[in-house]
Amino acid sequence: MHVGIATDHGGFALKEELVANLRAAGHEVTDFGAYSLESGDDYPDFVTPLAQAVVAGQVDRGVAICGSGVGASVCANKIPGIRAALIHDHFSAKQGVEDDHMNILCMGGRTVGPAVAWDLVQTFLDAEYSQDERHLRRLAKVAGLEGG
């Protein structure tokens, strides 16, 4: 799978570890930065291009990280077509994809350790979008909200 990943300073170390794990697992990775640890950088500068790439189909799914994961989630969800969520548990990582077609997993670099983060990413990437009528009906209603 082609995975995009982005972070600011708050998740830089976690991103670096996840990029290595993703590549070792055979995934193609596009790194949207940050490319170096800069304490004054801003998560929208990295998360926005990631979200735009997911919507454009340039990457299959995305992982967005900031200190808590909250800002990354809020930012990603401002891009029409993105369904991002802050995830701390395996059930939500799987069900968010299956039922809600989540396409960006958000995590906090200061709240989730690297082993748990890697488990969550694997769960997220292994899950498949449901084609069940009830899920598609709900997704259509959510998509309708983006029309303004």
Side-chain angles (χ1 to χ4, degrees):
M1 184 175 292
H2 189 174
V3 181
I5 192 166
T7 190
D8 65 359
H9 60 280
F12 184 77
L14 181 59
K15 179 194 69 104
E16 293 296 294
E17 189 160 335
L18 289 174
V19 166
N21 288 345
L22 286 162
R23 288 186 173 139
H27 296 285
E28 182 179 354
V29 178
T30 298
D31 184 345
F32 289 88
Y35 305 112
S36 61
L37 184 57
E38 302 288 335
S39 64
D41 63 10
D42 299 319
Y43 60 83
D45 296 336
F46 310 107
V47 174
T48 301
L50 165 65
Q52 291 168 333
V54 170
V55 170
Q58 296 166 345
V59 296
D60 299 311
R61 294 196 192 156
V63 176
I65 309 165
C66 65
S68 68
V70 173
S73 176
V74 170
C75 179
N77 280 309
K78 295 295 184 184
I79 306 301
I82 290 300
R83 294 169 307 279
L86 175 59
I87 301 294
H88 291 111
D89 64 277
H90 294 90
F91 177 81
S92 298
K94 184 176 190 292
Q95 289 300 117
V97 172
E98 291 177 347
D99 295 2
D100 305 305
H101 292 203
M102 177 175 64
N103 51 18
I104 295 184
L105 170 75
C106 300
M107 293 184 290
R110 296 179 180 139
T111 62
V112 178
V116 171
W118 176 234
D119 284 345
L120 294 174
V121 168
Q122 289 178 93
T123 301
F124 167 68
L125 296 178
D126 288 343
E128 297 181 14
Y129 299 137
S130 168
Q131 297 305 307
D132 185 284
E133 181 275 329
R134 66 190 167 129
H135 298 139
L136 297 176
R137 181 183 68 243
R138 293 168 187 160
L139 289 167
K141 290 178 180 182
V142 170
L145 298 171
E146 294 179 341

